[in-house]
Amino acid sequence: MQIGYCRTSTAEQVAGFEAQEQKLVATGCTRLFREQVSSVAVRGELDAALDFVREGDTLVVTRLDRLARSTTDLLGIVATLERKGVSLRVLDFGGSEVDTKSPTGRMLLTMFAAVAEFERTTMLERQRAGIAKAKAEGRYLGRAPTARAKLVQIRELRAAGLGASEIAAKLNVGRASVYRLLSEDAA
């Protein structure tokens, strides 16, 4: 049995999500596990897929980055699958397909996962260096504080007798931000 797993990081990535689903169904997946969460979040559907697969099954993903967040994560998933007698099939693996049923497929998967993790780490280092440089030059100020910009309205609504939850909902800010700003007033 072929079991498909598709994931996007956000719910706004509709086209990419639908394309993954279509590709998995066209490949012959009879069961799909779907989720729209960041790879660093708890991936309940991935856990469900790993629990669902049985000996002789194949877990199918469209691309490697839809499955694992790092080489260590990937190798852990592959080890779980191997213990259960399940193979992993990646449909788009640099223009070709790879399947862990063969030793060559397992080797390629491990090598490419390491390269992908290296690229991601390098990109994050460059990004951090760029942000540090921009901050030093006074060009990077970070995200604009949304709740603090509404401090006058928060105070007015509080004076009118509204609670923090009501204020937060009315002004579309976080309840914790309302509490924080009101506690600063009290201090």
Side-chain angles (χ1 to χ4, degrees):
M1 178 179 206
Q2 292 193 84
I3 292 93
Y5 173 72
C6 55
R7 182 190 63 79
T8 57
S9 298
T10 65
E12 290 81 32
Q13 296 171 307
V14 176
F17 195 68
E18 290 173 351
Q20 287 180 60
E21 287 178 319
Q22 290 168 1
K23 201 175 218 183
L24 291 169
V25 169
T27 302
C29 292
T30 53
R31 175 80 192 266
L32 292 183
F33 289 85
R34 310 164 177 92
E35 59 191 338
Q36 294 182 295
V37 298
S38 169
S39 67
V40 296
V42 173
R43 296 172 291 171
E45 286 297 300
L46 175 59
D47 292 340
L50 295 174
D51 187 51
F52 179 81
V53 293
R54 300 289 180 256
E55 186 172 346
D57 289 347
T58 301
L59 180 65
V60 184
V61 295
T62 55
R63 290 190 350 244
L64 197 55
D65 65 337
R66 301 297 86 206
L67 178 66
R69 58 183 146 241
S70 67
T71 306
T72 305
D73 187 34
L74 174 65
L75 295 178
I77 292 168
V78 170
T80 299
L81 294 172
E82 286 179 349
R83 274 194 306 276
K84 296 181 87 170
V86 176
S87 64
L88 173 65
R89 182 176 172 201
V90 182
L91 300 177
D92 184 359
F93 197 73
S96 61
E97 190 177 304
V98 71
D99 194 324
T100 62
K101 284 181 185 173
S102 72
T104 304
R106 283 193 300 276
M107 179 203 60
L108 285 173
L109 189 71
T110 304
M111 286 175 43
F112 277 96
V115 171
E117 183 176 355
F118 170 75
E119 286 177 342
R120 172 109 176 108
T121 303
T122 303
M123 183 271 306
L124 289 173
E125 287 174 359
R126 286 191 307 265
Q127 182 183 36
R128 281 191 283 275
I131 290 171
K133 182 178 185 244
K135 281 181 179 179
E137 295 171 356
R139 293 184 292 120
Y140 182 88
L141 305 174
R143 185 173 64 97
T146 55
R148 192 164 300 279
K150 298 178 181 182
L151 181 57
V152 172
Q153 293 168 293
I154 291 171
R155 288 177 178 153
E156 289 171 355
L157 291 171
R158 183 60 172 185
L162 272 70
S165 295
E166 296 168 302
I167 295 169
K170 192 178 262 312
L171 298 179
N172 197 27
V173 297
R175 190 178 66 163
S177 296
V178 172
Y179 278 120
R180 186 184 67 251
L181 291 170
L182 291 174
S183 71
E184 288 175 8
D185 277 354

